[in-house]
Amino acid sequence: MELESGSTNRQSRLKLYKSTLILAYQSFGVVYGDLSTSPIYVYTSTFSGRLRLHEDDDEILGVLSLVFWTLTLIPLCKYIVFVLGADDNGEGGTFALYSLLCRRAKLGLLHPSHSTDDDISSQDSCQLIKETRASSLLKEFFDKHHSSRVVLLLIVILGTSMVIADGILTPSMSGYAVLITCLILVGLFALQHIGTHRVGFLFAPIILLWLLSISGVGIYNIIQWNPRVVSALSPYYVYKLFKLTGKDGWTSLGGIVLCITGAEAMFADLGHFSQLSIRIAFTAIIYPSLILAYMGEAAYLSKHKEDLQRSFYRAIPEVVFWPVFIIATLATVVASQAVISATFSIISQCWALKCFPRVKIIHTSNQMHGQIYIPEVNWMLMVFCLLVVIGFRDTDMIANAYGLTVVIVMFVTTCLMFLVIVMVWKRNILAAFIFVTVFGFVELLYLSSCLAKVAKGGWIPLIFSLIVLSVMYIWHYGTLQKQSFESHNRTSLDMLLSLGPNVGINRVRGIGLIYTNVLSGIPPMFSHFVTSFPAFHQVLIFVTFQFLTTPRVSANQRFIVSRIGPAEFRLYRCIVRFGYKDARKDSYAFETDLIETVRVFLQHESDDGDARDSVSEMPVNQHESDCLRDDVSMRAENGSGAGLTRCKRVRFCGVDNSKELEDLEDAREAGLAYMMGNTCVLARETSSFVKKFAINIVYGFLRRNCRSPSTALGVPHTSLIEVGMAYRV
């Protein structure tokens, strides 16, 4: 037995090592393309401004030293060591940090505070960590000042919009002729539908060849031209650079910051891979290759100062120039993949947290749930990229905008990490201050230099991010207003139960599914509908979807089934919970699971029940139903819905649900009818012009043009009944 156990453990470890190495290999083609190609334009961009007046060896070595310490502090220390550890159950990015704060510190505007997700939240080990005085004070501050939550959301959306802007600007940095660049972009975006894992395998050899080339050229240049550049690893040369150049050195920081473009993608693309695979790839290959490339280029420049404006390609030995040039051309194409994949991940998180209109999310891998493709976002990105390439042909102008987006995203991540360290990890506030002081100081220094170039291209991402920020916040605000109206104006289930014989068993044959966002009670749109039509379906099920702020919900926590009222009413509630990375099933598979869930619920009641007024919650094993693919939790609910707030173990006996099971099967054979709300949110007549514009025009336009709930859920049009209502908010 011990030998078999040891063999099994060894096989599982080997499988883990193999999958990690495969993911690390794929990450080269997805995560690191942008970061790896930065040596092409860093020195050129840095010396394109006033720093061209300072071309001595000390200035060149000072720039190298600044590049080395920037790469060491930001990608290596900040992201690889710290930020990757702040993942949200495997997901990364700005919204993943916000999701952590919403779920564990309750800092969101929309609280997922229903008891139905308490069991998921309780599994977080961080929930068991004792509150510190600093975390308690911060929570008290956010609870007391509601505006602080709004500011936090706006900061998060700002960072998110900058990542999307980065996804538009990165493909435009190739520097080819306009026509060639446009053709390359169309081909790149056309490849996205094949999935991250296939794109990774396709592009990874290109980046590995590229890294091998630039590190080999770097070693050659160091030995051939100036081995003394190794001394530039000392931070003393950074001090010497600013002492010699003064303000000119500060303005050059906008070019040096380009050496860390793509660093944020390591965190944003985390859902497509894993922490260990990204760390292995960066520390073992990416980091040393980049350092050697920058050192080799500085060694060449120290002896060929006349080549500063085209230093990278001039530093390539003539004998290998054309092979390296071809690989460089291919690598610049791959560079865009990191932010494109990151944009897909972030948009899906925004959608789940109700900050983005409904879009179609396609999961492209059965092994990695975070590998997704969003067609609408993909083609919109392509259109915007083409507009930037055609409209702004000056690569220096695009580089200025590019640097600003990069540093703003990084600074937003640093600010959110402060809250995560204190309120989620419950660490000493001094550790959080040290984190913010060290990394925030470096990022603010770069940010100040980039802001000085707003008029020279930096305004491009600012305008775009302002538009995206406005759209995302208006959508979030409109969604909150709609849900708030429905929650405060819902009708008690007691009204439905008081109809007595009208909701009895003499109904139209079949199953009626009412989709509602209200957990207890009936939304106002259905109140009149329910009371006006006495002949309901034979079985009526209220279905509520909960999209939680956790990436995935395990199978045994997916469904919660409840009974509403007496057994003869044939009324049930089913709460279906999804994380923002869970794949949705098609309509037929979902309705099959749903009905089988109710059937298994009735079987458990029949086998184990003795007190209908008590609340039961028990898992159903998968072998109990051939058709049921998910485990189920079940609860009995009284008319007011209060049963959802209390759960206790009870033992049942002597309950015969055979007639209910027969009615359920009979209704299932008769067919299903879907009832959904189609609400319209409008501003009040007394509202300000700004609110009317935001709600009536912007939110209304988004609501009419995004995917409808019925389309997103795959509901058959011929079986759908939509109930419309206009809300004045």
Short mmCIF file of all heavy atoms in Angstrom, two decimals, residues 488-520:
data_model
loop_
_atom_site.label_atom_id
_atom_site.label_comp_id
_atom_site.label_asym_id
_atom_site.label_seq_id
_atom_site.Cartn_x
_atom_site.Cartn_y
_atom_site.Cartn_z
N HIS A 488 -36.15 47.03 -3.40
CA HIS A 488 -36.97 47.82 -2.49
C HIS A 488 -38.45 47.81 -2.86
O HIS A 488 -39.29 48.21 -2.06
CB HIS A 488 -36.47 49.27 -2.45
CG HIS A 488 -35.17 49.43 -1.72
ND1 HIS A 488 -33.95 49.34 -2.35
CD2 HIS A 488 -34.89 49.65 -0.42
CE1 HIS A 488 -32.98 49.50 -1.48
NE2 HIS A 488 -33.52 49.69 -0.29
N ASN A 489 -38.78 47.39 -4.08
CA ASN A 489 -40.17 47.40 -4.52
C ASN A 489 -40.69 45.99 -4.82
O ASN A 489 -41.71 45.85 -5.50
CB ASN A 489 -40.32 48.28 -5.76
CG ASN A 489 -40.06 49.74 -5.48
OD1 ASN A 489 -40.92 50.48 -5.04
ND2 ASN A 489 -38.82 50.16 -5.74
N ARG A 490 -40.03 44.99 -4.32
CA ARG A 490 -40.48 43.62 -4.57
C ARG A 490 -41.76 43.32 -3.78
O ARG A 490 -42.04 43.93 -2.75
CB ARG A 490 -39.38 42.63 -4.18
CG ARG A 490 -39.08 42.56 -2.69
CD ARG A 490 -37.94 41.59 -2.42
NE ARG A 490 -37.69 41.41 -1.01
CZ ARG A 490 -36.86 42.16 -0.30
NH1 ARG A 490 -36.21 43.14 -0.90
NH2 ARG A 490 -36.67 41.94 0.98
N THR A 491 -42.49 42.37 -4.29
CA THR A 491 -43.72 41.91 -3.64
C THR A 491 -43.42 40.64 -2.86
O THR A 491 -42.73 39.75 -3.36
CB THR A 491 -44.80 41.63 -4.69
OG1 THR A 491 -45.02 42.83 -5.44
CG2 THR A 491 -46.10 41.20 -4.03
N SER A 492 -43.94 40.55 -1.64
CA SER A 492 -43.68 39.39 -0.81
C SER A 492 -44.26 38.13 -1.43
O SER A 492 -45.30 38.16 -2.10
CB SER A 492 -44.29 39.60 0.58
OG SER A 492 -44.20 38.40 1.34
N LEU A 493 -43.58 37.02 -1.22
CA LEU A 493 -44.09 35.75 -1.70
C LEU A 493 -45.39 35.36 -1.02
O LEU A 493 -46.14 34.51 -1.53
CB LEU A 493 -43.04 34.66 -1.46
CG LEU A 493 -41.82 34.69 -2.39
CD1 LEU A 493 -40.77 33.70 -1.90
CD2 LEU A 493 -42.20 34.38 -3.81
N ASP A 494 -45.69 35.99 0.13
CA ASP A 494 -46.96 35.71 0.80
C ASP A 494 -48.14 36.06 -0.10
O ASP A 494 -49.19 35.42 -0.04
CB ASP A 494 -47.05 36.50 2.11
CG ASP A 494 -46.03 36.01 3.13
OD1 ASP A 494 -45.69 34.81 3.07
OD2 ASP A 494 -45.58 36.81 3.96
N MET A 495 -48.00 37.09 -0.94
CA MET A 495 -49.06 37.47 -1.85
C MET A 495 -49.33 36.35 -2.85
O MET A 495 -50.48 36.01 -3.14
CB MET A 495 -48.67 38.75 -2.59
CG MET A 495 -49.71 39.28 -3.58
SD MET A 495 -49.65 38.46 -5.20
CE MET A 495 -48.05 39.02 -5.77
N LEU A 496 -48.24 35.75 -3.36
CA LEU A 496 -48.40 34.66 -4.30
C LEU A 496 -49.07 33.46 -3.64
O LEU A 496 -49.97 32.85 -4.21
CB LEU A 496 -47.03 34.27 -4.86
CG LEU A 496 -46.98 33.09 -5.84
CD1 LEU A 496 -47.79 33.39 -7.08
CD2 LEU A 496 -45.55 32.75 -6.20
N LEU A 497 -48.66 33.17 -2.41
CA LEU A 497 -49.23 32.03 -1.71
C LEU A 497 -50.67 32.27 -1.30
O LEU A 497 -51.45 31.32 -1.16
CB LEU A 497 -48.38 31.70 -0.48
CG LEU A 497 -46.90 31.38 -0.75
CD1 LEU A 497 -46.16 31.12 0.55
CD2 LEU A 497 -46.77 30.20 -1.68
N SER A 498 -51.04 33.54 -1.10
CA SER A 498 -52.41 33.85 -0.67
C SER A 498 -53.43 33.66 -1.78
O SER A 498 -54.64 33.68 -1.52
CB SER A 498 -52.47 35.30 -0.17
OG SER A 498 -52.25 36.21 -1.24
N LEU A 499 -52.97 33.48 -3.01
CA LEU A 499 -53.91 33.28 -4.11
C LEU A 499 -54.60 31.92 -4.04
O LEU A 499 -55.60 31.70 -4.71
CB LEU A 499 -53.17 33.41 -5.45
CG LEU A 499 -52.59 34.79 -5.76
CD1 LEU A 499 -51.85 34.77 -7.08
CD2 LEU A 499 -53.68 35.85 -5.79
N GLY A 500 -54.06 31.04 -3.22
CA GLY A 500 -54.72 29.78 -2.94
C GLY A 500 -54.95 28.93 -4.17
O GLY A 500 -54.01 28.57 -4.88
N PRO A 501 -56.22 28.59 -4.46
CA PRO A 501 -56.52 27.68 -5.57
C PRO A 501 -56.01 28.18 -6.92
O PRO A 501 -55.78 27.39 -7.83
CB PRO A 501 -58.05 27.61 -5.56
CG PRO A 501 -58.45 28.00 -4.17
CD PRO A 501 -57.42 29.00 -3.72
N ASN A 502 -55.84 29.49 -7.06
CA ASN A 502 -55.39 30.02 -8.35
C ASN A 502 -53.98 29.58 -8.71
O ASN A 502 -53.59 29.63 -9.86
CB ASN A 502 -55.44 31.55 -8.33
CG ASN A 502 -56.86 32.07 -8.41
OD1 ASN A 502 -57.73 31.39 -8.93
ND2 ASN A 502 -57.09 33.25 -7.88
N VAL A 503 -53.22 29.20 -7.70
CA VAL A 503 -51.88 28.67 -7.98
C VAL A 503 -51.82 27.20 -7.59
O VAL A 503 -50.77 26.68 -7.27
CB VAL A 503 -50.79 29.47 -7.22
CG1 VAL A 503 -50.65 30.83 -7.80
CG2 VAL A 503 -51.07 29.51 -5.74
N GLY A 504 -52.96 26.54 -7.59
CA GLY A 504 -53.03 25.13 -7.23
C GLY A 504 -52.57 24.24 -8.36
O GLY A 504 -51.90 24.66 -9.29
N ILE A 505 -53.02 22.98 -8.33
CA ILE A 505 -52.49 22.00 -9.27
C ILE A 505 -53.25 22.00 -10.58
O ILE A 505 -52.84 21.34 -11.53
CB ILE A 505 -52.51 20.59 -8.64
CG1 ILE A 505 -53.95 20.21 -8.24
CG2 ILE A 505 -51.60 20.50 -7.46
CD1 ILE A 505 -54.08 18.79 -7.74
N ASN A 506 -54.39 22.70 -10.67
CA ASN A 506 -55.15 22.74 -11.91
C ASN A 506 -54.58 23.82 -12.84
O ASN A 506 -55.15 24.90 -12.98
CB ASN A 506 -56.63 23.00 -11.63
CG ASN A 506 -57.25 21.88 -10.82
OD1 ASN A 506 -56.97 20.71 -11.07
ND2 ASN A 506 -58.10 22.23 -9.86
N ARG A 507 -53.47 23.54 -13.43
CA ARG A 507 -52.78 24.55 -14.24
C ARG A 507 -52.48 24.00 -15.62
O ARG A 507 -52.72 22.84 -15.94
CB ARG A 507 -51.46 24.95 -13.58
CG ARG A 507 -51.58 25.29 -12.11
CD ARG A 507 -50.22 25.61 -11.57
NE ARG A 507 -50.24 25.71 -10.11
CZ ARG A 507 -49.17 25.92 -9.38
NH1 ARG A 507 -48.01 26.07 -9.95
NH2 ARG A 507 -49.27 26.00 -8.07
N VAL A 508 -51.95 24.86 -16.45
CA VAL A 508 -51.49 24.44 -17.76
C VAL A 508 -50.33 23.46 -17.59
O VAL A 508 -49.43 23.68 -16.78
CB VAL A 508 -51.04 25.66 -18.59
CG1 VAL A 508 -50.50 25.22 -19.94
CG2 VAL A 508 -52.21 26.62 -18.78
N ARG A 509 -50.36 22.37 -18.35
CA ARG A 509 -49.29 21.39 -18.23
C ARG A 509 -47.97 21.99 -18.70
O ARG A 509 -47.92 22.74 -19.66
CB ARG A 509 -49.61 20.14 -19.06
CG ARG A 509 -50.77 19.33 -18.52
CD ARG A 509 -51.05 18.13 -19.39
NE ARG A 509 -49.96 17.17 -19.30
CZ ARG A 509 -49.29 16.72 -20.35
NH1 ARG A 509 -49.58 17.18 -21.55
NH2 ARG A 509 -48.32 15.84 -20.21
N GLY A 510 -46.90 21.64 -18.00
CA GLY A 510 -45.59 22.14 -18.36
C GLY A 510 -44.89 22.79 -17.17
O GLY A 510 -45.45 22.91 -16.08
N ILE A 511 -43.65 23.22 -17.40
CA ILE A 511 -42.84 23.86 -16.37
C ILE A 511 -42.61 25.31 -16.77
O ILE A 511 -42.22 25.60 -17.91
CB ILE A 511 -41.48 23.14 -16.20
CG1 ILE A 511 -41.68 21.71 -15.71
CG2 ILE A 511 -40.58 23.90 -15.22
CD1 ILE A 511 -40.39 20.91 -15.60
N GLY A 512 -42.87 26.21 -15.85
CA GLY A 512 -42.59 27.62 -16.06
C GLY A 512 -41.35 28.04 -15.30
O GLY A 512 -41.24 27.80 -14.10
N LEU A 513 -40.38 28.63 -16.00
CA LEU A 513 -39.15 29.11 -15.38
C LEU A 513 -39.18 30.63 -15.38
O LEU A 513 -39.21 31.27 -16.44
CB LEU A 513 -37.91 28.63 -16.15
CG LEU A 513 -37.70 27.12 -16.24
CD1 LEU A 513 -36.45 26.81 -17.05
CD2 LEU A 513 -37.58 26.50 -14.85
N ILE A 514 -39.22 31.23 -14.19
CA ILE A 514 -39.20 32.69 -14.06
C ILE A 514 -37.81 33.11 -13.62
O ILE A 514 -37.34 32.74 -12.54
CB ILE A 514 -40.25 33.18 -13.04
CG1 ILE A 514 -41.66 32.86 -13.54
CG2 ILE A 514 -40.11 34.67 -12.81
CD1 ILE A 514 -42.77 33.36 -12.63
N TYR A 515 -37.10 33.86 -14.47
CA TYR A 515 -35.76 34.34 -14.16
C TYR A 515 -35.87 35.67 -13.43
O TYR A 515 -36.46 36.63 -13.95
CB TYR A 515 -34.94 34.51 -15.44
CG TYR A 515 -34.56 33.20 -16.08
CD1 TYR A 515 -35.37 32.60 -17.04
CD2 TYR A 515 -33.38 32.54 -15.72
CE1 TYR A 515 -35.02 31.40 -17.63
CE2 TYR A 515 -33.03 31.34 -16.31
CZ TYR A 515 -33.85 30.77 -17.25
OH TYR A 515 -33.50 29.58 -17.83
N THR A 516 -35.32 35.73 -12.23
CA THR A 516 -35.43 36.94 -11.42
C THR A 516 -34.13 37.16 -10.66
O THR A 516 -33.45 36.21 -10.27
CB THR A 516 -36.60 36.83 -10.42
OG1 THR A 516 -36.51 37.87 -9.47
CG2 THR A 516 -36.58 35.51 -9.68
N ASN A 517 -33.79 38.43 -10.44
CA ASN A 517 -32.60 38.78 -9.66
C ASN A 517 -32.89 38.91 -8.17
O ASN A 517 -31.98 39.07 -7.37
CB ASN A 517 -32.01 40.10 -10.16
CG ASN A 517 -31.41 39.97 -11.54
OD1 ASN A 517 -30.80 38.96 -11.86
ND2 ASN A 517 -31.58 40.99 -12.37
N VAL A 518 -34.17 38.90 -7.80
CA VAL A 518 -34.55 39.08 -6.40
C VAL A 518 -34.58 37.73 -5.71
O VAL A 518 -35.27 36.81 -6.16
CB VAL A 518 -35.93 39.77 -6.29
CG1 VAL A 518 -36.34 39.94 -4.84
CG2 VAL A 518 -35.88 41.13 -7.00
N LEU A 519 -33.84 37.60 -4.62
CA LEU A 519 -33.74 36.32 -3.93
C LEU A 519 -35.00 35.96 -3.15
O LEU A 519 -35.41 34.82 -3.11
CB LEU A 519 -32.54 36.32 -2.98
CG LEU A 519 -31.18 36.13 -3.66
CD1 LEU A 519 -30.08 36.24 -2.64
CD2 LEU A 519 -31.11 34.79 -4.36
N SER A 520 -35.60 36.94 -2.48
CA SER A 520 -36.82 36.68 -1.71
C SER A 520 -37.88 37.65 -2.17
O SER A 520 -37.66 38.86 -2.18
CB SER A 520 -36.55 36.84 -0.21
OG SER A 520 -36.10 38.13 0.08
#
